[in-house]
């Protein structure tokens, strides 16, 4: 009814800020975040993650130096700590494999991204971060045929979650290829149970040997579905290193698997030793009554991730 | 004990190198990884001229991060050698005598190492910022279009590595694991 006066009984939408029929609406507007701000933060996080090893990882490597019995293993650990010092000081990548940019977005449902497409903004951040930071571009298109380098490390792998609140949390995790390659997904039978899980994880680490650059952080996802389990395993790697799962039953499983892994003798970089893994970090979700999905996502000692909140 | 050796590595030196020996390598090594291996094999298959003479040379499985303006190279640590296993016996037969990487090798590679008297070293994986300090000169030799996977001629000075497979059939990974493996935990 163009030009017609709105009938007086229409209630204005509460999410709309402005002059309603009864004056100013109380409800605050959606918080607005510029897409360009997201680009900027992603670019910074890509660099920071590649140059600065987390304090938790450094503490775990120092702890490992105390317990490692193998002289070769101890020497590797001290060189890794020296490498982390040089990388931070000179803003050089910790590892030449600057990884696939895995980006976790936690978007508060009260936020509104303006001024551009969210995923394009993240991708642009990866492009800028990897270019400005002199990080290696490791992504190839046509993976089973031509394998052509995309030259700017895009596209990233993006995982999005909508959460309560009006903030946006961004986590950038550069994930190296060597350790990712040794990861495993198994759809166990429910009857395989706890022991089946332990055997699978230990076998995965044993077969990987020195390839994934131990000492490792072992991300373990149990439950959900095939893809859900792997995402749980990856998210487990974002936890503070060696901090047990708050659920005592899961914490006990983590501890038992870690001691089994560290009895394998693989040691730092596979040269032989007691410290094959710094931590096993498990996340668990309910699953289908017919299933027991188990995902193992291996993380090398260069366990890189940095986050920011907008 | 640490041995200072020069690359290309001569046959007598290779005979002296046994598993677990720590070395500091100086001289010329060639960086080549996955895509460069594929191209080298393709060139051999087609009978074309290789971009450099393989005879007696050392390959380093490495693709660096880009150099900052005031540096000659970025981070430069080893990549997983196992992916090169399908190409390596052929390259050893064609003249390569030393490889530097990380992680263990296949039975076929170990056999070629014994047969042709070659050597496999490991460097510290994930210590790319530290290892870059031993690289003194960098020159692109071939396949510049591959970006980080181009073949590079590197001049290295005291590049640290450990002998992982020798001509006597020893294996650092198998020995290390056997020494520290426990059946009780």
């Amino acid at each position: 009814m163009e030009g017609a006066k709105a009938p007086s009984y229409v209630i204005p939408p509460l999410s709309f800020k402005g002059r309603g029929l009864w004056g100013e609406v109380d409800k605050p507007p959606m918080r607005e975040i510029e897409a360009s701000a997201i680009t900027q933060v992603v670019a910074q996080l890509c660099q920071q993650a590649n140059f600065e090893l987390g304090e938790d990882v450094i503490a775990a490597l120092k702890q490992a130096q105390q317990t490692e019995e193998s002289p070769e293993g101890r020497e590797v650990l001290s060189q890794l700590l020296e490498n982390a010092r040089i990388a931070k000081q000179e803003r050089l990548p910790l590892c030449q494999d600057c990884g696939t940019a895995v980006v976790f977005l936690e978007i508060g449902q009260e936020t509104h991204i303006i001024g551009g497409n969210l995923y394009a903004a993240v991708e642009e951040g990866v492009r800028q971060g990897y270019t400005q930071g002199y990080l290696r571009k490791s992504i190839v298109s046509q993976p089973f045929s031509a394998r052509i380098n995309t030259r700017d490390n895009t596209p990233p792998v993006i995982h999005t979650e909508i959460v309560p609140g009006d903030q946006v949390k961004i986590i950038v995790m550069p994930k190296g290829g060597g350790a990712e390659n040794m990861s495993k997904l198994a759809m166990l039978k429910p009857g395989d149970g706890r022991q089946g899980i332990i055997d699978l994880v230990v076998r995965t680490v044993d077969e990987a040997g020195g390839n994934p650059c131990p000492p490792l952080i072992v991300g373990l996802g149990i439950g959900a579905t095939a893809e859900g389990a792997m995402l749980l395993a990856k998210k487990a790697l974002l936890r503070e290193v060696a901090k047990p799962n708050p659920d005592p039953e899961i914490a006990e499983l983590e501890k038992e698997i870690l001691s089994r892994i560290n009895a394998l003798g693989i040691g730092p970089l596979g040269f032989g030793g007691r410290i094959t893994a710094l931590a096993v970090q498990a996340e668990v979700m309910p699953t289908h009554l017919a299933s027991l999905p188990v995902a193992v996502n291996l993380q090398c000692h260069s366990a890189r991730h940095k986050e920011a909140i907008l | 004990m640490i041995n200072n050796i020069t690359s290309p590595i001569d046959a007598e030196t290779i005979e002296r190198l046994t598993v677990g020996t720590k070395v500091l390598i100086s001289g010329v090594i060639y960086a080549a990884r996955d895509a460069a291996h594929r191209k080298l094999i393709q060139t051999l298959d087609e009978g074309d001229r290789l971009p450099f003479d393989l005879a007696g040379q050392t390959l380093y499985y490495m693709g660096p991060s880009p150099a900052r303006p005031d540096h000659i190279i970025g981070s430069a640590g080893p990549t997983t050698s196992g992916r090169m296993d399908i190409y390596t016996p052929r390259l050893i037969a064609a003249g390569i005598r030393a490889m530097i990487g990380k992680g263990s090798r296949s039975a076929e590679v170990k056999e070629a190492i014994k047969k042709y008297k070659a050597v496999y070293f490991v460097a510290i994986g994930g210590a790319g910022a530290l290892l870059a300090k031993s690289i003194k000169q960098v020159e692109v030799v071939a396949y510049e279009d591959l970006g980080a996977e181009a073949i590079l001629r590197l001049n290295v000075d005291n590049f640290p590595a450990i002998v992982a497979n020798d001509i006597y059939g020893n294996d650092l990974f198998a020995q290390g694991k056997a020494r520290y493996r426990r059946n009780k935990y």
Side-chain angles (χ1 to χ4, degrees):
Chain A
M1 301 231 328
E2 197 139 343
K5 214 170 172 225
S8 60
Y9 53 80
V10 171
I11 298 167
L14 285 179
S15 63
F16 179 77
K17 181 169 181 173
R19 286 199 69 81
L21 289 175
W22 297 281
E24 200 76 19
V25 176
D26 294 342
K27 188 87 177 165
M30 295 276 281
R31 183 176 168 231
E32 291 182 338
I33 295 178
E34 289 278 351
S36 61
I38 290 179
T39 295
Q40 209 181 354
V41 166
V42 169
Q44 284 165 358
L45 292 175
C46 288
Q47 298 180 58
Q48 202 194 348
N50 269 292
F51 302 147
E52 298 172 24
L53 196 58
E55 289 302 325
D56 55 338
V57 185
I58 289 177
L61 289 171
K62 285 183 177 161
Q63 174 66 36
Q65 264 187 318
Q66 305 301 313
T67 41
E68 179 55 79
E69 291 168 28
S70 135
E72 293 80 9
R74 279 200 304 273
E75 192 176 326
V76 167
L77 293 167
S78 77
Q79 303 238 13
L80 294 180
L81 287 163
E82 171 68 0
N83 185 68
R85 194 190 60 76
I86 294 171
K88 186 175 179 182
Q89 189 182 316
E90 300 188 14
R91 285 175 71 78
L92 272 171
L94 286 151
C95 178
Q96 71 289 339
D97 182 353
C98 302
T100 298
V102 181
V103 181
F104 293 87
L105 300 174
E106 289 176 19
I107 315 255
Q109 64 183 27
E110 315 291 335
T111 50
H112 179 203
I113 311 293
I114 58 166
N117 174 319
L118 170 62
Y119 287 171
V122 172
E123 182 162 323
E124 181 58 24
V126 170
R127 182 176 293 118
Q128 289 181 11
Y130 275 73
T131 309
Q132 292 161 3
Y134 295 91
L135 305 180
R136 199 181 78 185
K137 290 80 178 169
S138 308
I139 303 301
V140 294
S141 63
Q142 296 168 261
F144 67 90
S145 52
R147 297 185 68 83
I148 297 170
N149 197 305
T150 62
R151 302 237 160 215
D152 56 12
N153 219 51
T154 66
V157 172
I158 303 174
H159 301 293
T160 312
E161 251 181 85
I162 306 296
V163 297
D166 67 353
Q167 294 184 324
V168 171
K169 183 173 176 182
I170 304 174
I171 308 172
V172 174
M173 175 199 227
K175 189 72 171 67
E180 191 72 1
N181 281 347
M182 299 293 131
S183 299
K184 197 158 273 179
L185 172 72
M187 303 303 284
L188 298 184
K189 296 180 181 69
D192 294 328
R194 188 175 186 273
Q195 194 57 46
I197 295 171
I198 295 171
D199 291 344
L200 174 82
V201 181
V202 173
R203 194 166 60 242
T204 301
V205 173
D206 199 13
E207 284 169 5
N211 289 346
C213 282
L216 306 170
I217 296 157
V218 179
L220 175 57
I222 304 168
T225 48
E227 91 287 6
M230 194 50 92
L231 192 52
L232 283 175
K234 187 144 259 132
K235 280 189 184 165
L237 295 173
L238 297 175
R239 268 167 45 192
E240 189 181 322
V241 171
K243 192 176 174 189
N245 189 299
D247 180 321
E249 189 192 18
I250 303 169
E252 187 56 34
L253 178 70
E254 292 175 337
K255 201 173 145 199
E256 186 173 339
I257 297 175
L258 180 63
S259 72
R260 284 275 309 267
I261 287 173
N262 284 338
L264 288 171
I266 295 167
L269 285 170
F271 301 167
R274 298 282 180 231
I275 309 294
T276 303
L278 299 171
V280 174
Q281 302 182 173
E283 291 293 327
V284 180
M285 256 185 80
T287 190
H288 190 278
L289 50 82
S291 308
L292 179 54
V294 182
V296 186
N297 195 212
L298 296 184
Q299 172 63 62
C300 61
H301 57 71
S302 205
R304 298 157 288 181
H305 52 88
K306 288 282 185 275
E307 62 183 61
I309 292 174
L310 279 176
Chain B
M1 198 185 94
I2 293 177
N3 287 259
N4 291 287
I5 61 175
T6 304
S7 176
I9 308 168
D10 60 55
E12 297 89 83
T13 304
I14 288 175
E15 278 187 31
R16 267 197 305 117
L17 295 173
T18 52
V19 152
T21 305
K22 289 176 191 166
V23 298
L24 291 171
I25 304 170
S26 298
V28 174
I29 64 178
Y30 288 87
R33 51 172 296 157
D34 306 60
H37 273 68
R38 217 156 43 234
K39 287 212 174 198
L40 286 174
I41 294 294
Q42 205 180 347
T43 309
L44 282 172
D45 282 344
E46 288 162 2
D48 286 343
R49 197 158 162 265
L50 291 164
F52 66 102
D53 185 4
L54 305 187
Q57 296 297 342
T58 303
L59 291 184
Y60 180 23
Y61 305 140
M62 189 277 290
S65 64
R68 286 188 174 275
D70 49 343
H71 288 64
I72 57 160
I73 199 162
S75 270
T79 193
T80 310
S81 308
R83 290 194 312 274
M84 269 44 82
D85 283 354
I86 49 171
Y87 311 113
T88 300
R90 188 96 190 271
L91 293 179
I92 292 177
I96 292 296
R97 285 297 171 268
M99 290 82 59
I100 310 167
K102 71 175 176 83
S104 59
R105 308 308 303 261
S106 68
E108 292 77 14
V109 172
K110 291 183 219 173
E111 202 44 54
I113 285 171
K114 274 166 75 176
K115 182 175 173 191
Y116 292 96
K117 296 199 187 311
V119 62
Y120 170 56
F121 301 100
V122 283
I124 295 185
L130 180 66
L131 289 169
K133 301 224 172 276
S134 308
I135 299 173
K136 303 298 173 192
Q137 212 181 337
V138 182
E139 185 193 340
V140 178
V141 171
Y143 315 142
E144 199 161 7
D145 57 306
L146 294 179
E149 295 199 72
I151 295 185
L152 310 173
R153 182 187 289 112
L154 306 176
N155 250 298
V156 293
D157 186 32
N158 290 328
F159 183 95
I162 303 172
V163 178
N165 289 109
D166 59 28
I167 62 168
Y168 309 102
N170 298 309
D171 184 338
L172 176 77
F173 295 94
Q175 289 183 3
K177 199 160 143 175
R179 192 172 308 133
Y180 292 97
R181 203 172 186 96
R182 285 192 287 208
N183 294 317
K184 279 199 289 191
Y185 31 82

